[in-house]
Amino acid sequence: MTVLDGTACPQCGRPRPSDAASGLCAACLFAIAASIEDEVCPYQVLAPIEQDAHGVTYLAERHASSSRGFVALSVIAHGDGDAILGRFHQLRPALARLQHPGAAKVLDAGSTSNGSVYVVSEYVTGTPLAGVVTRQRLDRAGLVEIARQMTEAVAAAHSAGVLHLALDGSRVKVSTAGAPHAAIAGFGVRAIVEGCVGDPDTDLRALDALVRQLELRT
Amino acid sequence: MSDASFPPLRAGRFATTRWSLVLAAGGQTDARSAEALASLCELYWYPIYAFVRRQGYNVTEAADLTQEFFLRVLEKNYFRALDPARGRFRGFLCASVRHFLSNERDRARSLKRGGRRPPISLDVETAEGRYQLEPHDNLTPEKLFDRRWGLMLLDRALTRVARDYADAGKAPLFEHLKGFLTGDSSGVPYAEAASTIGMSEGAVKVAVHRMRRHFRDALVEQIAETVSDPADIDAEIAYLLNAVS
């Protein structure tokens, strides 16, 4: 794949050889290769959590992190890596705007030296919402509080420009140690991994179903 | 853990390279090492031809000497006589051809004399056509050899990247973004490229980053075939950067 080009490289100023590979500056190509370090995944995988259509999600933590914060790291087995990373890049400002204790969002995405693409989300602990309801671990006031927190989390995410698009009971984790606290996992995942362009109403309908589920049991 | 876009280029790349196979054989009869050496010679014959031509030999002499040189190299005993830079195939070949020419200058060509079958397929017309494009500067045969070596490696690496993109159904993406590999895209900003190919600017930046990494891995894979120690790869990249500058 040789292209004739006898001009100077606008990047480094060196003359490009007349049969430079693809018309590209040979010195710049070697310089680029020399400047790229092996990309090491900055997360340490601890244990698998779940497997779905996208791949396997692991409990992980960041290497050399001063705080012991766990994350959920999904290794994407099926999907266009370039597109996933591009969508993450695009959604990043909205994700940065989303700051709510009840909305767990995508934190990071990247690729390792062997080309694997991963998406990192805040890891949420607690009992799945369905379990809390079934086991009647909260009184009516507690359930109302959970409903309020979920509603606030969805509103905060929408206000920031981040949709969930896969909201169901399995995504809501409730902590009942002390004051009840609900957190919704996975904001931004579907948009980034699948490229879904959804509608806020999708989340609102799902939220409505979840709240109804709470009211039905009280 | 694999990206669906491309096969992992670097997986197991250092297990057994062709050059390490040759060195491991240590000049002993070994079909695998002989085959490995022959294939390396097939890939990298042009820098030898250019070296010989730059030494002042005419087209016919250079073609004969190149064939004769490879015939000698492919004879097992040649390894024991020469080992100044055995760690890298490039260094081995360059030192070997220099040594060969100093001994061969006044001797009749055994290849012609014996009528043996040429060890590599050398298209003299193509080789000479390429040689005529070489800059008429003061490059010594050694510097020309190194420069040619570096350009060949780049060409192979880029061809590999182009093929991988085509296999992944992304040939148009490669064509649109390859200019960004060097940071030089003839003045076309990311936003303009994004608009042309229907991607966001952020997505283009990510795609360029990934393409550069893929290119780097392809280049490393090519170089890894010609060094005996993986630790030499970065030094070889730095050496070749200087050689083509």
Side-chain angles (χ1 to χ4, degrees), chain A residues 203-213:
Chain A
D203 285 349
L204 295 178
R205 282 193 295 273
L207 177 64
D208 182 54
L210 289 174
V211 172
R212 283 174 188 277
Q213 190 181 342

Side-chain angles (χ1 to χ4, degrees), chain B residues 196-210:
Chain B
T196 304
I197 54 183
M199 291 169 71
S200 70
E201 191 175 342
V204 167
K205 286 178 180 172
V206 169
V208 168
H209 174 76
R210 304 245 302 156

Side-chain angles (χ1 to χ4, degrees), chain A residues 55-74:
Chain A
V56 180
T57 298
Y58 300 87
L59 178 67
E61 64 181 343
R62 197 174 179 92
H63 284 303
S65 172
S66 53
S67 61
R68 190 170 175 79
F70 292 116
V71 293
L73 184 149
S74 301

Side-chain angles (χ1 to χ4, degrees), chain A residues 38-39 80 82 115-116, chain B residues 1 3 10 148 170 210 213:
Chain A
D38 275 345
E39 199 163 13
D80 184 330
D82 286 334
S116 299
Chain B
M1 290 174 69
D3 176 7
R10 306 177 73 183
R148 265 298 132 206
K170 295 183 173 184
R210 304 245 302 156
R213 182 163 295 284

Side-chain angles (χ1 to χ4, degrees), chain A residues 5 38 51 64 72 76 93 99 146 162 168 186-187 215:
Chain A
D5 188 346
D38 275 345
Q51 181 161 12
I76 310 302
Q99 301 288 340
I146 293 299
V162 181
D168 61 27
F187 277 102
E215 289 173 347

Side-chain angles (χ1 to χ4, degrees), chain A residues 47-217:
Chain A
I49 301 172
E50 65 176 357
Q51 181 161 12
D52 60 19
H54 305 133
V56 180
T57 298
Y58 300 87
L59 178 67
E61 64 181 343
R62 197 174 179 92
H63 284 303
S65 172
S66 53
S67 61
R68 190 170 175 79
F70 292 116
V71 293
L73 184 149
S74 301
V75 178
I76 310 302
H78 308 289
D80 184 330
D82 286 334
I84 290 169
L85 294 176
R87 289 192 291 264
F88 168 67
H89 192 89
Q90 201 171 8
L91 197 60
R92 219 170 182 171
L95 290 166
R97 284 195 298 273
L98 175 53
Q99 301 288 340
H100 190 277
K105 61 188 179 181
V106 171
L107 297 170
D108 194 8
S111 59
T112 61
S113 57
N114 73 353
S116 299
V117 172
Y118 58 84
V119 174
V120 177
S121 305
E122 289 177 276
Y123 178 67
V124 179
T125 57
T127 307
L129 183 66
V132 171
V133 174
T134 307
R135 293 173 202 160
Q136 300 185 349
R137 297 174 84 163
L138 291 173
D139 58 14
R140 180 179 173 79
L143 291 173
V144 169
E145 177 60 15
I146 293 299
R148 188 188 67 75
Q149 290 178 7
M150 290 193 302
T151 305
E152 272 193 8
V154 171
H158 287 185
S159 172
V162 181
L163 302 179
H164 195 292
L165 304 175
L167 182 55
D168 61 27
S170 70
R171 303 287 168 193
V172 183
K173 298 287 177 64
V174 178
S175 167
T176 54
H181 172 69
I184 301 171
F187 277 102
V189 170
R190 199 147 179 234
I192 290 169
V193 175
E194 296 180 28
C196 279
V197 182
D199 186 298
D201 285 346
T202 305
D203 285 349
L204 295 178
R205 282 193 295 273
L207 177 64
D208 182 54
L210 289 174
V211 172
R212 283 174 188 277
Q213 190 181 342
L214 294 175
E215 289 173 347
L216 283 172
R217 303 293 302 194

